[in-house]
Amino acid sequence: MDERKEMCPVCRNLGYVYFEDENGRTYSKPCKCTAVKEARKRLERSGLAKLFKSKTFDSFMTCGNPLLEDAKRTAMQYTESFAERTDSDSNSLLLCGQVGAGKTHLGTACSVRLIDQGIPVIYMGYREEMTALKAKVTDEKAYRDEMNRYKKAAVLFIDDFLKGKITEADINIVYEIVNYRYNNHLPLIISTEKTLDELISFDEAVGSRLIEMCRGHIIVFEGRKLNYRLYRGGVA
Ligand SMILES: [Zn+2]
């Protein structure tokens, strides 16, 4: 992440702000910046900070491919107009299709931009986190806490959504997260190898909600020429 020591203009890094109620009593509450700091800390703990540093818009090479240029433009535009759509019912981003096309890269670049704008993004590596979640199922509190983190995050980036074998338990977890976020207009950033048709046929309730949430920001990678890894050349 960004290593600059940033001074929060609101709380001057105290982490909380004071406010007065109508009776003149003073209270304190956590400053908005604490959620961003928490998101950054979680990223660092997850070992993804390095990935997040390297997968920026600048390092996303389009090599003149119009489809990749369009994908990059759409993703950048998504972050630039993010604030205008906060409470809209289509404030999410879907990156889907072909393996190696740069979906994780663009999803990560968007997350970095949003975190830099002071919007906390929680990263969920689908396969690992689903396994971890299911392992917690016997510990009601730990399970609920983790589910709430994903359900209530200001922005949730699910990377490699629906990767691997999908069980009934997976569908239930995915539905609970997606449905909660859909009902509360909470944005998702999703990268997945599934096509739009596959998303719908996996589970119509989940698929149709996702497509509605991502309206206007659905990036589909298809076609042989799009294999981003082939274009990377010297870029690590
Ligand atoms: Zn602050």
Side-chain angles (χ1 to χ4, degrees):
M1 274 305 44
D2 207 322
E3 272 153 17
R4 282 170 298 166
K5 279 266 174 255
E6 281 168 83
M7 177 64 88
C8 171
V10 180
C11 71
R12 306 191 150 268
N13 290 1
L14 273 176
Y16 50 88
V17 288
Y18 292 108
F19 65 100
E20 229 172 64
D21 69 5
E22 62 268 31
N23 304 316
R25 265 191 294 239
T26 306
Y27 295 91
S28 67
K29 63 175 179 186
C31 179
K32 274 201 301 195
C33 69
T34 56
V36 173
K37 284 182 187 140
E38 179 55 31
R40 285 199 169 133
K41 253 189 243 150
R42 268 178 68 88
L43 262 185
E44 265 144 42
R45 276 201 302 268
S46 69
L48 286 164
K50 232 173 128 186
L51 170 81
F52 270 63
K53 222 175 246 170
S54 61
K55 306 246 184 243
T56 61
F57 284 124
D58 283 343
S59 68
F60 186 83
M61 298 299 155
T62 58
C63 298
N65 182 312
L67 292 172
L68 289 176
E69 277 170 5
D70 190 46
K72 182 175 177 175
R73 200 164 35 240
T74 304
M76 287 177 85
Q77 187 264 333
Y78 171 78
T79 59
E80 279 152 18
S81 60
F82 186 85
E84 298 157 25
R85 287 189 317 272
T86 330
D87 202 37
S88 135
D89 52 12
S90 54
N91 55 12
S92 299
L93 174 70
L94 180 60
L95 301 142
C96 65
Q98 199 170 303
V99 185
K103 301 181 297 288
T104 294
H105 190 141
L106 282 183
T108 306
C110 288
S111 302
V112 172
R113 277 282 165 92
L114 294 179
I115 290 175
D116 285 344
Q117 285 172 35
I119 298 153
V121 180
I122 294 296
Y123 175 87
M124 179 186 186
Y126 178 80
R127 273 187 96 161
E128 307 75 45
E129 309 279 359
M130 286 296 274
T131 306
L133 251 177
K134 284 184 282 183
K136 283 182 183 147
V137 92
T138 50
D139 181 346
E140 175 75 15
K141 189 185 177 297
Y143 178 77
R144 276 293 125 213
D145 285 351
E146 200 59 14
M147 278 300 272
N148 280 333
R149 233 199 293 272
Y150 298 133
K151 282 157 75 175
K152 296 178 180 175
V155 179
L156 178 65
F157 173 23
I158 309 182
D159 192 22
D160 254 337
F161 184 62
L162 301 182
K163 174 105 176 174
K165 196 169 152 280
I166 303 159
T167 66
E168 194 69 30
D170 296 321
I171 295 178
N172 290 337
I173 291 173
V174 163
Y175 178 78
E176 190 177 333
I177 295 172
V178 170
N179 190 50
Y180 183 90
R181 300 189 66 84
Y182 173 83
N183 287 335
N184 291 282
H185 296 178
L186 291 167
L188 280 164
I189 295 173
I190 287 192
S191 84
T192 179
E193 283 170 12
K194 304 280 179 218
T195 62
L196 292 182
D197 286 343
E198 284 167 340
L199 280 179
I200 295 278
S201 60
F202 139 77
D203 185 274
E204 206 183 331
V206 171
S208 60
R209 278 170 176 72
L210 284 180
I211 288 167
E212 191 183 333
M213 291 167 86
C214 299
R215 208 176 36 229
H217 300 98
I218 296 176
I219 300 173
V220 181
F221 293 91
E222 55 188 0
R224 268 195 309 163
K225 285 191 171 168
L226 265 186
N227 198 320
Y228 182 62
R229 283 188 191 123
L230 292 177
Y231 285 101
R232 274 208 294 208
V235 183

